[in-house]
Amino acid sequence: MAGLFQVLWGGVDGGFSKPEPLKGTDGKELIIPADDKTEVTKKICTRPVATDWDRDGDLDLLVGNFKGTFYLFRGEGDGKFSPQPEPVMAGGEELQIKGVHSDPFPVDWDGDGDLDLLSGSSNGGVQWAENTAGNGQEPELKQFTELIKPAEERDAGMLDKGQWPATPSGSTRVWVADVNGDGKLDVLLGDSASVQRAGPGLTPEEAEKKFKAWQAEHERLATKLRTARDENGNTDRGLMTQYQNHYQKRGEFMTAERTGFVWLYLRK
């Protein structure tokens, strides 16, 4: 089931049907063809968006994936799609983000009348692929450049002290809209973040003090682990066990809650 595209058909009463996999014109479920052993990242963690990409009046399906590339299922009208996707290209090569988990958002970002492509990333931030084809033409994209840089340091924040992260984290998802109504396109950016709480019986200050000591040892072990090898060239198992045991000790003084935030970037 991984990589299928679920659709909830709208009803005349404003309701929706139960989700079902979207099928191509051949009657089979749409999916990016890829070998499960060597290319599975091409077809999993898909992120679809419906847009008239080739400018022929029909909605196409533009799709991101785990690998960080993009595929196009061309629309054939009446909500039907070609079963064979095409890789989205840029300068003769596959278009690919920095990081993984491509997140397509087509929009005329530079205001020249054609569709550019924005994307979030596992790395964080927002990337932009400029379209050079011109208005009314199927996009011809450049490779991605950074539109919003990922944060260099990600502050997890301490909930017990009323602190929240100061910058977006990774696994970003992007949406573009004129949020403040000034005629300029703004960026809404979702992320996947971690916020901290002090462990049982500890004040936030005590937990932070223990965390700093723990973090120094964690970084030392992590650095050593990157180069430590046994006589066969494999990662040193003893050091790996030491690293894992140390990592688990963080739970003695601090707990982490996985969540996410929505950040607003107002365009100047």
Side-chain angles (χ1 to χ4, degrees), residues 183-232:
K184 300 175 184 178
L185 293 176
D186 308 305
V187 171
L188 290 161
L189 190 65
D191 69 0
S192 175
S194 175
V195 290
Q196 315 289 352
R197 286 191 185 277
L202 296 175
T203 66
E205 291 75 17
E206 289 171 338
E208 282 190 325
K209 184 177 180 179
K210 289 180 177 292
F211 175 73
K212 289 180 180 179
W214 174 91
Q215 189 176 39
E217 178 64 7
H218 173 75
E219 292 177 354
R220 186 190 72 82
L221 290 172
T223 300
K224 192 174 181 180
L225 191 61
R226 293 189 189 101
T227 57
R229 297 289 185 270
D230 61 19
E231 63 274 10
N232 297 317

Side-chain angles (χ1 to χ4, degrees), residues 48-67:
V49 60
T51 183
D52 183 8
W53 186 251
D54 55 16
R55 319 306 283 170
D56 66 351
D58 298 323
L59 282 177
D60 309 302
L61 204 63
L62 184 63
V63 181
N65 58 19
F66 183 97
K67 184 179 179 181

